[in-house]
Amino acid sequence: MNTSDSIEEQKLIQFLNDSIVKHPYGMFYPYEFIDTLSHNIEFKLCFDYDSYLDYEWVKIKHRNVFYVNIDRNNQINSRIGDKLHLDTIKPLFKHFILNKHESEDLPEKRIMIIPLLNTVQVSKGALYVKTQLIPDSTLKRTDWKLIKKVINIASSSIMELRNEGAQFYFDKTYIEASLKEKMALIEYHPIGIWFYPNGYNPKPPTPPVPVLSKEVIKILELIDEAEEELEILEE
């Protein structure tokens, strides 16, 4: 899937179905790169079937995640609102990303020095889309077309923010911006979308057993010896 829908939808759905069967706990995430032939920035959605083994995401603060859940009945809910409609996602997501009033409930910002923009604040906010594409016993499943609409709304929200940034910094639209200007705006407003097709919530790994001092180990050994002696006497 990409923003220009260059892949036929049926082929994409088949790819998703195959991937879900093989790697049921994978995730999709977007990335952007420069096409060296056309010198344009390309947007792709990558499938990562090993993501469920990566626990880095648990370090991300709750306030930095715009959580959207689409259940098997195609009801959309979020911590932003119990029930969301497609037409309300864009203004809510843009408000979430910008956090103009520095609310502690909305994303943090990191200070970055970006070429052409100088020192700016970049939002740490990202979209987390949880769905259920594996059907239940009644064959209900999240509608992929609805998922696609939600992801496209989020990506178009970021594009609007980039366009606003292009107008502010370069007095032109994002499309009119040069490649270097586009790269600067991508750093300023990166597309952060995680799509978990089967709602998998990996648990953090079990913490390692604490290392005991020699003194503590000796005490435990003495306790074990005493218990063994007690058992022998009771016999």
Side-chain angles (χ1 to χ4, degrees):
M1 187 191 78
N2 57 32
T3 51
S4 61
D5 289 338
S6 61
I7 303 176
E8 294 178 23
E9 187 166 313
Q10 290 306 313
K11 290 182 180 179
L12 175 60
I13 291 174
Q14 186 60 51
F15 165 74
L16 276 170
N17 289 340
D18 290 345
S19 299
I20 288 163
V21 170
K22 293 175 184 176
H23 313 291
Y25 303 128
M27 81 169 182
F28 293 81
Y29 61 91
Y31 69 98
E32 293 170 284
F33 65 96
I34 298 175
D35 186 322
T36 54
L37 295 177
S38 65
H39 296 286
N40 290 322
I41 293 172
E42 298 291 330
F43 173 84
K44 299 288 183 182
L45 201 64
C46 180
F47 181 64
D48 181 4
Y49 56 83
D50 288 327
S51 63
Y52 66 97
L53 297 177
D54 182 4
Y55 296 98
E56 287 298 314
W57 73 275
V58 300
K59 298 178 182 177
I60 298 174
K61 294 182 180 179
H62 186 63
R63 63 179 286 189
N64 295 332
V65 178
F66 188 96
Y67 171 87
V68 172
N69 177 63
I70 311 175
D71 63 22
R72 288 190 174 95
N73 293 315
N74 295 310
Q75 297 294 318
I76 307 173
N77 59 73
S78 169
R79 70 181 181 90
I80 305 296
D82 291 337
K83 286 188 178 181
L84 291 181
H85 300 284
L86 289 175
D87 58 354
T88 63
I89 293 176
K90 180 174 285 187
L92 286 173
F93 187 57
K94 288 179 69 174
H95 173 76
F96 172 83
I97 291 294
L98 290 174
N99 190 10
K100 291 182 178 180
H101 302 295
E102 306 292 338
S103 169
E104 293 184 358
D105 296 326
L106 297 178
E108 300 170 288
K109 298 175 184 177
R110 63 170 68 90
I111 304 297
M112 292 182 63
I113 300 175
I114 298 177
L116 304 182
L117 306 186
N118 296 320
T119 303
V120 293
Q121 289 185 325
V122 177
S123 173
K124 292 184 180 182
L127 175 70
Y128 174 109
V129 183
K130 175 181 174 183
T131 68
Q132 294 292 342
L133 283 176
I134 292 182
D136 62 11
S137 58
T138 64
L139 299 181
K140 285 186 177 180
R141 60 187 290 178
T142 308
D143 183 359
W144 167 245
K145 292 181 181 179
L146 179 59
I147 299 168
K148 188 174 179 181
K149 287 178 181 178
V150 171
I151 293 176
N152 281 342
I153 287 170
S155 60
S156 68
S157 301
I158 295 296
M159 289 301 178
E160 285 187 12
L161 292 176
R162 289 181 185 175
N163 194 55
E164 293 168 13
Q167 294 284 359
F168 180 80
Y169 285 103
F170 309 123
D171 195 25
K172 59 180 74 171
T173 65
Y174 181 73
I175 294 176
E176 294 170 336
S178 68
L179 194 58
K180 286 185 178 180
E181 291 168 342
K182 284 189 173 78
M183 292 301 296
L185 293 166
I186 284 175
E187 285 191 74
Y188 189 33
H189 289 303
I191 295 179
I193 300 174
W194 308 325
F195 164 43
Y196 289 83
N198 299 298
Y200 183 67
N201 287 315
K203 295 180 180 179
T206 304
V209 176
V211 178
L212 301 177
S213 66
K214 292 181 179 179
E215 291 79 7
V216 173
I217 292 174
K218 185 62 178 178
I219 292 171
L220 291 175
E221 288 175 349
L222 291 172
I223 291 173
D224 287 341
E225 291 173 3
E227 288 178 347
E228 288 175 3
E229 291 177 0
L230 184 61
E231 289 177 1
I232 293 172
L233 290 173
E234 289 177 347
E235 290 176 357

